[in-house]
Structures are given as structure tokens and as C-alpha cells.
Amino acid sequence: EIPLRLVGSEMCIRDSYLSDLKALTEEKTAHWLTDGGIEDEWDDYVSAMDSMGLQDVVAAWQAAYDRYVEAQ
């Protein structure tokens, strides 16, 4: 396990977006498991995740990882 540490602004980004992203992921996963349709809905799902801040969360974790690698 890699001990990644987010700094203040990164924690704010994570906290601002993560609960909504997780809720959408759980909702869509349940829907796809019970009703199917992932092939038809995937692109819209990815677009929704991006519009909800997914790329900002990824960037925050990437910055934490980059700091970790630099420190090694």
C-alpha cells in the first residue's frame, strides 16, 4: 500500500466531489447489474462523471502520487 497524502486544497477537491461521484457510481452499478444497458449508457456515464468533477479528483490524487514518487 502506498501512503499518499493529500494537501489542503486537494482534500477540499476530494471532499467536494467524491460523495456525489460515489453515489452515481453505486446507482449506475446497481442499475446495470439488475437491468443491463451498460453498453448503451457508458459514454453518458463517463460524461456525467467528468461534469461532476472526476478529473479534478484524479488530478488531486495524481499530485499526491507524484509527490510520493519524488520523495522516494
Side-chain angles (χ1 to χ4, degrees):
E1 185 172 311
I2 299 173
L4 298 182
R5 298 180 198 272
L6 299 174
V7 297
S9 62
E10 295 162 349
M11 286 188 284
C12 288
I13 289 169
R14 180 200 59 197
D15 294 346
S16 294
Y17 297 121
L18 204 55
S19 64
D20 290 339
L21 291 167
K22 184 177 181 212
L24 179 61
T25 299
E26 291 171 352
E27 173 189 329
K28 296 306 273 182
T29 300
H31 165 70
W32 291 328
L33 289 173
T34 57
D35 303 323
I38 190 170
E39 296 86 3
D40 296 329
E41 299 172 11
W42 184 256
D43 290 340
D44 290 338
Y45 168 70
V46 172
S47 293
M49 295 286 281
D50 283 341
S51 71
M52 294 170 70
L54 177 62
Q55 296 307 315
D56 294 331
V57 174
V58 170
W61 282 110
Q62 184 65 53
Y65 177 74
D66 292 344
R67 282 192 305 277
Y68 169 79
V69 170
E70 274 185 34
Q72 298 306 308

